[in-house]
Amino acid sequence: MALITLRQLLDHAAEYSYGVPAFNINNMEQGLAIMEAAKAVDAPVIIQASRGARSYANDIMLAKMIEALAAIYPDIPLCMHQDHGNNEATCMTAIRHGFTSVMMDGSLEGDAKTPASYEYNVEISERVARMAHWVGASVEGELGVLGSLETGEGEAEDGHGAVGKLDHSMLLTDPDQAVDFVKKTQVDALAIACGTSHGAYKFSRKPDGEILAMSVIEAIHKKLPNTHLVMHGSSSVPQDLQDIINEFGGAMPQTFGVPVEEIVRGIKMGVRKVNIDTDCRMAMTGQFRRIAEQNKAEFDPRKFLKPAMDAMRDLCKARLEAFGTAGHASKIKVIPMDDMAKRYASGSLAPKTN
Ligand code: G3H
Ligand code: 13P
Ligand code: ZN
């Protein structure tokens, strides 16, 4: 059993200068694909579940699945993380179901649509961090609202995210405010806004510094060199996956994601957690479409799911290699959550903000 907290994993990643992809799951096949990739390259992993995933799969199913994955792959440190928690209850119930880490996304109000005030964000993130740390779980906060610097729009594509036009300043995390936020909330990791957004339709062209503001990450890292930074909306939306979907009956308009080389640059500037969901969805869906088109008589779901799992495994493996995560699983000795709780209580894990 190697369930690890986000804090321990990202501390290790910072010490050895690598990043860790956080892959979203909704079902068993995605969980197995991630773990197979991790095993193939000896990498620790972060698996995360959104609120949507929890209601799709059922909390008990997810909890048992985490337990099963940890048992099947005992040599892979596995962090189970709540993605975009919208309030205290979402975060606390995740921990009760075996998650070792939660994101309290206080950049939006509880409806996950309305941009929140700074004061609201600080207050709720601090409260969740305090409660999670009592039991040794880790907390990711978010400052700045995800959305497009090209259009100024929030990103309601996945049914959550800010709705409508946003002020440019809200779409970019302010470095000074980031220092104040980490000091006041004591979060273990900080998600920042730099022009990325969820889903496939991030950029209408290959992004440059105008629309993907890596300079913001650099500026935050200068002020907060010891804080683990998180990039959301970091799928690369690879051209070959768009092509497979479109070749076999799909109709995805041409789009651009976050280039892997930009993420690798981000890792050199303090990015430690990189959220990826869309790429995994596309890898699987491309194979569903291909099998459906190439073998119209097929009706066994496993004949669709197995190639889909293989495609997702290969995608995950490529990211684990590119981000430098590969080769580190066997070097980590997992600290149990109870011991993490004691460390928080002693003050030894308090963020260094100056
Ligand atoms: O937060 C974004 C992830 O892609 C999760 O999406 O809410 O559709 O599960 P979801
Ligand atoms: P993508 O949609 O770019 O994969 O982002 C996923 C994410 O940020 C989950 O929190
Ligand atoms: Zn996200």
Side-chain angles (χ1 to χ4, degrees), residues 23-25 27 29-34 37 276-277 279-281 283-284 287 306-318:
F23 300 115
N24 287 72
I25 63 162
N27 58 34
E29 284 77 10
Q30 292 173 314
L32 287 171
I34 296 164
I276 297 174
D277 186 357
D279 284 354
C280 298
R281 294 178 177 188
M284 294 191 99
Q287 294 308 306
K306 185 65 178 68
M309 283 166 73
D310 290 350
M312 178 163 162
R313 178 202 59 212
D314 292 349
L315 185 285
C316 295
K317 196 165 155 259

Side-chain angles (χ1 to χ4, degrees), residues 24 26 50-53 83-84 158 160 198-199 232 277-278 281:
N24 287 72
N26 292 268
S50 65
R51 284 192 298 141
D83 193 21
H84 293 282
D158 284 336
H160 59 97
H198 294 129
H232 280 248
D277 186 357
T278 297
R281 294 178 177 188

Side-chain angles (χ1 to χ4, degrees), residues 26-285:
N26 292 268
N27 58 34
M28 176 191 83
E29 284 77 10
Q30 292 173 314
L32 287 171
I34 296 164
M35 296 308 285
E36 275 300 305
K39 186 178 149 194
V41 298
D42 185 38
V45 283
I46 302 167
I47 292 183
Q48 54 189 10
S50 65
R51 284 192 298 141
R54 285 177 63 185
S55 63
Y56 173 83
N58 184 299
D59 278 348
I60 296 172
M61 189 69 80
L62 275 177
K64 299 287 179 195
M65 213 157 81
I66 302 161
E67 209 181 305
L69 291 174
I72 299 167
Y73 301 92
D75 300 329
I76 302 298
L78 161 59
C79 169
M80 187 65 208
H81 178 78
Q82 167 74 54
D83 193 21
H84 293 282
N86 64 323
N87 59 29
E88 298 90 331
T90 299
C91 295
M92 293 305 118
T93 53
I95 294 170
R96 185 157 62 81
H97 284 98
F99 289 44
T100 57
S101 176
V102 295
M103 174 187 195
M104 177 57 237
D105 182 355
S107 70
L108 301 173
E109 291 183 4
D111 64 4
K113 285 183 173 58
T114 312
S117 69
Y118 180 66
E119 292 69 29
Y120 170 92
N121 193 356
V122 167
E123 202 203 310
I124 197 162
S125 303
E126 185 276 330
R127 191 159 51 245
V128 168
R130 195 152 29 93
M131 292 192 288
H133 290 168
W134 284 334
V135 292
S138 320
V139 177
E140 171 187 339
E142 172 164 328
L143 184 63
V145 180
L146 295 187
S148 164
L149 293 171
E150 270 185 283
T151 63
E153 296 276 339
E155 42 113 54
E157 182 184 321
D158 284 336
H160 59 97
V163 183
K165 287 268 179 206
L166 295 169
D167 190 274
H168 202 266
S169 66
M170 290 170 93
L171 295 167
L172 295 172
T173 304
D174 177 74
D176 290 317
Q177 203 173 49
V179 177
D180 187 62
F181 185 79
V182 173
K183 244 186 217 162
K184 286 183 173 150
T185 61
Q186 303 279 298
V187 292
D188 301 285
L190 179 68
I192 48 86
C194 63
T196 65
S197 54
H198 294 129
Y201 304 102
K202 302 179 193 304
F203 306 111
S204 67
R205 57 185 162 90
K206 189 170 187 280
D208 54 21
E210 283 287 298
I211 54 178
L212 175 60
M214 300 302 290
S215 55
V216 166
I217 298 179
E218 196 171 12
I220 297 169
H221 183 52
K222 273 215 179 95
K223 298 208 176 230
L224 281 173
N226 297 305
T227 295
H228 306 311
L229 303 180
V230 182
M231 275 176 82
H232 280 248
S234 290
S235 276
S236 302
V237 198
Q239 190 62 50
D240 61 325
L241 295 183
Q242 294 183 50
D243 292 345
I244 292 174
I245 289 173
N246 287 338
E247 182 184 344
F248 296 105
M252 284 187 72
Q254 177 64 50
T255 179
F256 296 85
V258 183
V260 170
E261 61 270 21
E262 291 297 333
I263 298 171
V264 170
R265 212 153 68 81
I267 291 168
K268 294 193 179 108
M269 306 186 298
V271 171
R272 298 288 161 232
K273 174 172 179 277
V274 183
N275 284 16
I276 297 174
D277 186 357
T278 297
D279 284 354
C280 298
R281 294 178 177 188
M282 289 178 68
M284 294 191 99
T285 298

